[in-house]
Amino acid sequence: MAKTYSPKDVKIVVAGFQDVSGWTSITVDRNSDNSSTIVSADGIPAHTVIADSTGTFEIELQQHNSEFNMCIAALDLKTKTDNDLLFFDITITDRSGSTLVNLKDVHLRKMAPQALAAEAGTRTHMFHVDDVQYLPAAEGIAQTSADVLNANNFVDFISEQAQNLKDLTS
C-alpha cells in the first residue's frame, strides 16, 4: 500500500471513459445503514440487516472543467428531452488507500448550481446509484471491467461459501 495519499493515484472510470480529471472532491455514500437495532423493554436487542445498497455519488469539479461539465449538461438535456434516464457504471480506485468502489446503474440526479463569481469556483453534481459496492483492492489493481467483475465474483463466491458452511453447522 502506498504510504502517502495523492489524488493522482485516484482513478475514476465513468461509463468506460478512463481517468476523469479536474475534480476537487468525490463523495460516495449509501442511503441506508447496513443494519438497525431495536431493544426490547427487557433489554434484549434485535438486529436487522438492511438490504438497501442504493446511494449517491457526488463529484465536485473545477468550474473550468469544460469536458466533464459539458458531458453532464448533455446528460441533463438528454434526460429532459427524452424524458428518460441514462444509466452507466462508475469505478473508483484509490491506490494509496487500496479502495475499490463499484457504482452500478448510476444516473444524474441533479445538475450543480451554476454560480459565477469574481474567482473561479467549483460545481458539485449529484448522481443516484442503484448499487454501491465497496471492495478492498490490492495496490495497483488494474482498471478493467474484467478485474471489477472478478472482484465481485470473488465476493459472491466467499458469501456463498459462508452460507454453505452456516447451513452445514445448523
Side-chain angles (χ1 to χ4, degrees):
M1 181 174 357
K3 304 238 186 293
T4 305
Y5 170 78
S6 171
K8 291 180 181 178
D9 289 333
V10 176
K11 303 298 179 203
I12 306 169
V13 179
V14 177
F17 295 102
Q18 302 284 327
D19 299 333
V20 172
S21 61
W23 56 271
T24 58
S25 71
I26 300 165
T27 304
V28 175
D29 192 18
R30 282 214 176 120
N31 290 331
S32 300
D33 294 337
N34 285 337
S35 65
S36 66
T37 304
I38 296 176
V39 180
S40 65
D42 57 355
I44 299 171
H47 307 282
T48 302
V49 174
I50 300 173
D52 180 13
S53 63
T54 63
T56 58
F57 169 71
E58 292 182 7
I59 184 166
E60 182 179 11
L61 302 167
Q62 295 169 332
Q63 178 179 337
H64 65 275
N65 182 338
S66 58
E67 179 181 287
F68 201 80
N69 280 314
M70 283 178 58
C71 289
I72 292 173
L75 272 175
D76 185 60
L77 180 63
K78 179 82 171 146
T79 300
K80 299 295 185 203
T81 303
D82 294 350
N83 200 28
D84 196 14
L85 299 172
L86 296 175
F87 292 88
F88 51 92
D89 295 343
I90 299 174
T91 303
I92 305 166
T93 305
D94 170 15
R95 188 180 75 81
S96 64
S98 295
T99 301
L100 174 65
V101 180
N102 192 26
L103 308 175
K104 305 291 290 174
D105 296 325
V106 179
H107 71 268
L108 180 64
R109 178 180 282 171
K110 182 179 180 185
M111 286 280 298
Q114 303 297 303
L116 301 171
E119 295 183 2
T122 61
R123 295 183 173 149
T124 303
H125 301 280
M126 181 184 284
F127 297 83
H128 170 81
V129 183
D130 280 353
D131 189 10
V132 176
Q133 302 170 348
Y134 298 106
L135 302 169
E139 183 176 347
I141 191 170
Q143 291 294 305
T144 63
S145 298
D147 288 332
V148 173
L149 181 60
N150 288 339
N152 283 330
N153 289 340
F154 179 72
V155 169
D156 290 343
F157 173 76
I158 294 299
S159 296
E160 289 172 12
Q161 296 310 310
Q163 183 60 46
N164 291 341
L165 183 60
K166 185 177 177 182
D167 292 343
L168 287 175
T169 58
S170 305

